[in-house]
Amino acid sequence: MNVITKPKILKAVRLKPQKEQVLFAKLVRDLHDWAACWIETIKGIELEVTYVGSRENAPY
């Protein structure tokens, strides 16, 4: 699985404290069967993660 991280997000993450950079790296590594959307806000990076599961039980 490929996780696409736009350069703008990478730049924002690099400006965060080391602890937050490590947490972000772990999140990206662990994204499997999940979809994530995030946006940089004044407060930091706002993240929404949704389980997408497998096609096994899909209604189509």
Side-chain angles (χ1 to χ4, degrees):
M1 177 184 96
N2 292 324
V3 176
I4 299 169
T5 308
K6 293 185 176 183
K8 180 179 178 180
I9 297 298
L10 291 174
K11 182 179 178 182
V13 170
R14 280 191 221 107
L15 296 174
K16 300 293 179 190
Q18 181 67 25
K19 183 178 179 181
E20 290 182 34
Q21 292 180 35
V22 170
L23 290 174
F24 181 81
K26 287 180 181 181
L27 172 67
V28 170
R29 183 192 66 214
D30 292 339
L31 283 176
H32 178 68
D33 294 333
W34 297 87
C37 298
W38 56 85
I39 186 170
E40 183 182 358
T41 66
I42 293 172
K43 295 180 181 179
I45 296 174
E46 185 178 313
L47 178 69
E48 180 180 328
V49 179
T50 304
Y51 180 69
V52 292
S54 68
R55 298 181 303 205
E56 180 177 302
N57 297 318
Y60 52 86

